[in-house]
């Protein structure tokens, strides 16, 4: 369904990720390599952190419900801004007149009380049946900020509610514990409402200092018998590549290799047709990447709920 791209490392011109590679992020909106029968045409959003900007802990934020490949403003911004961290999201929805395409539903979500942003690839089956049972797990400060209709904004609110504080510097254990607790709450509320249908929850989370991502499905393999096959009945893809820097090397876009790993990309799919420098994340896995003394440190953990 959706496509998500995250980056952490040496400052990079945004167009080097969004536009220039042969499987660029913007190209994935209309021609994704994975789930090619679906288009991601329900909006685009990006949060980008730049150490040299005013209030560097707050990202540039650009969101639109329009089609990104026709967006001249986005192209101009992408040719000027060089962040050290970004989170970009192409929203895909099923083809139905019941879907709501609006600015309030565009990812990534970033509430004013925090510097943590989240984007989601997936869908919670029967979300309307379970969502009000989630309220008891959401801090009152975040309840008032839920303005859209997506399950993703509720998941984001639960995650924020289980961080030690909204604006802190987080230990890797804080990030992981909040993710696991969020997934456990979703599982608990689904069980309460007798929901046991395949529901992917690929989450991307960052505050400009770390990237966390999950490849996870609730009740994998259990499909509804009263609906047509859904794109959410399969695993959603997740890949990463890391090295010294990402750019155009040896006549192709790739992550430059070296002993020092100072940059990482985590994305729904590789940005190039050649995937030899990319690693696919296994199912039921979460990864957290942080920069420590200029080098990317990756923590990987199985999700066993």
């Amino acid at each position: 369904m959706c496509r998500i791209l995250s980056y952490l490392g040496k400052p990079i011109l945004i167009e080097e990720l969004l536009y220039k590679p042969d499987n660029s992020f913007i190209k994935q909106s209309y021609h994704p390599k994975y789930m090619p029968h679906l288009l991601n045409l329900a909006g685009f959003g990006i949060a980008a952190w730049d150490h040299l900007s005013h209030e560097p802990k707050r990202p540039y934020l650009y969101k639109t419900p329009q089609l990104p490949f026709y967006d001249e403003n986005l192209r101009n911004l992408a040719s000027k801004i060089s962040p050290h961290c970004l989170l970009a999201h192409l929203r895909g929805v099923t083809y139905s007149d019941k879907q709501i395409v609006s600015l309030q539903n565009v990812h990534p979500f970033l509430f004013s009380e925090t510097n943590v942003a989240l984007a989601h690839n997936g869908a919670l089956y029967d979300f309307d049946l379970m969502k009000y049972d989630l309220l008891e797990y959401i801090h009152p400060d975040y309840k008032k900020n839920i303005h859209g209709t997506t399950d993703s904004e509720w998941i984001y609110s639960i995650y924020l509610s289980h961080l030690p504080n909204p604006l802190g510097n987080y230990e890797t254990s804080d990030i992981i514990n909040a993710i696991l607790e969020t997934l456990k709450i979703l599982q608990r509320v689904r069980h309460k409402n007798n929901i046991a249908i395949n529901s992917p929850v690929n989450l991307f989370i960052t505050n400009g200092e770390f990237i966390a991502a999950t490849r996870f499905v609730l009740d994998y393999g259990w499909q509804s018998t009263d609906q047509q096959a859904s794109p959410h009945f399969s695993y959603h893809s997740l890949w990463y590549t890391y090295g010294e820097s990402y750019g155009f090397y040896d006549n192709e876009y790739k992550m430059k290799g070296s002993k020092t790993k100072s940059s990482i990309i985590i994305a729904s799919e590789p940005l190039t047709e050649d995937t030899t420098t990319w690693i696919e994340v296994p199912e039921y896995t979460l990864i957290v990447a942080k920069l420590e003394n200029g080098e990317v440190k990756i923590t990987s953990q199985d999700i066993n709920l």
Side-chain angles (χ1 to χ4, degrees), residues 24-270:
S24 71
F25 193 62
I26 297 302
K27 183 178 180 181
Q28 292 173 28
S29 65
Y30 60 87
H31 188 58
K33 288 179 61 179
Y34 300 82
M35 295 186 178
H37 58 293
L38 291 168
L39 304 181
N40 301 292
L41 306 177
F44 170 87
I46 186 169
W49 286 260
D50 180 353
H51 286 309
L52 300 179
S53 66
H54 177 63
E55 294 187 14
K57 290 188 178 295
R58 300 293 300 178
Y60 300 101
L61 191 62
Y62 182 83
K63 300 169 74 171
T64 174
Q66 305 302 317
L67 303 179
F69 44 85
Y70 292 134
D71 192 334
E72 185 178 358
N73 290 327
L74 174 61
R75 186 64 191 252
N76 289 335
L77 287 171
S79 68
K80 295 295 292 182
I81 299 174
S82 297
H84 68 274
C85 181
L86 68 82
L87 176 60
H89 184 275
L90 292 163
R91 186 170 181 243
V93 297
T94 55
Y95 306 140
S96 168
D97 57 8
K98 295 180 180 179
Q99 293 291 347
I100 298 176
V101 177
S102 69
L103 184 61
Q104 289 81 3
N105 286 339
V106 176
H107 310 211
F109 295 102
L110 179 63
F111 291 164
S112 59
E113 295 87 351
T114 181
N115 61 353
V116 178
L118 177 146
H120 173 213
N121 180 18
L124 296 176
Y125 186 85
D126 259 352
F127 173 64
D128 286 341
L129 180 62
M130 62 181 286
K131 66 180 181 181
Y132 294 114
D133 286 324
L134 297 173
L135 284 172
E136 66 176 283
Y137 303 102
I138 299 175
H139 192 281
D141 289 346
Y142 305 128
K143 291 177 182 179
K144 65 181 185 298
N145 292 324
I146 301 175
H147 299 305
T149 61
T150 70
D151 53 358
S152 309
E153 197 171 16
W154 289 70
I155 294 172
Y156 173 54
S157 301
I158 296 169
Y159 180 77
L160 291 180
S161 300
H162 290 84
L163 286 174
N165 59 78
L167 293 169
N169 296 316
Y170 306 108
E171 299 294 332
T172 299
S173 58
D174 297 331
I175 300 163
I176 291 174
N177 289 340
I179 290 173
L180 294 178
E181 187 60 30
T182 298
L183 296 176
K184 288 176 183 177
I185 288 167
L186 297 179
Q187 188 180 58
R188 189 179 308 143
V189 173
R190 282 162 57 90
H191 180 74
K192 177 181 177 181
N193 289 278
N194 298 313
I195 302 170
I197 300 297
N198 199 99
S199 298
V201 190
N202 280 23
L203 303 177
F204 287 68
I205 303 165
T206 181
N207 70 345
E209 303 300 327
F210 71 87
I211 303 172
T214 64
R215 191 181 185 197
F216 181 73
V217 179
L218 290 157
D219 297 299
Y220 177 71
W222 291 90
Q223 301 185 14
S224 172
T225 58
D226 60 353
Q227 289 190 346
Q228 295 179 345
S230 165
H232 295 302
F233 288 161
S234 61
Y235 275 108
H236 289 1
S237 53
L238 185 65
W239 296 72
Y240 73 94
T241 182
Y242 72 123
E244 180 183 343
S245 60
Y246 189 78
F248 194 68
Y249 303 109
D250 302 323
N251 295 315
E252 63 179 339
Y253 274 91
K254 63 181 179 181
M255 187 68 76
K256 184 179 180 181
S258 82
K259 291 183 179 179
T260 302
K261 311 291 188 182
S262 50
S263 301
I264 185 170
I265 300 171
I266 308 175
S268 296
E269 61 183 74

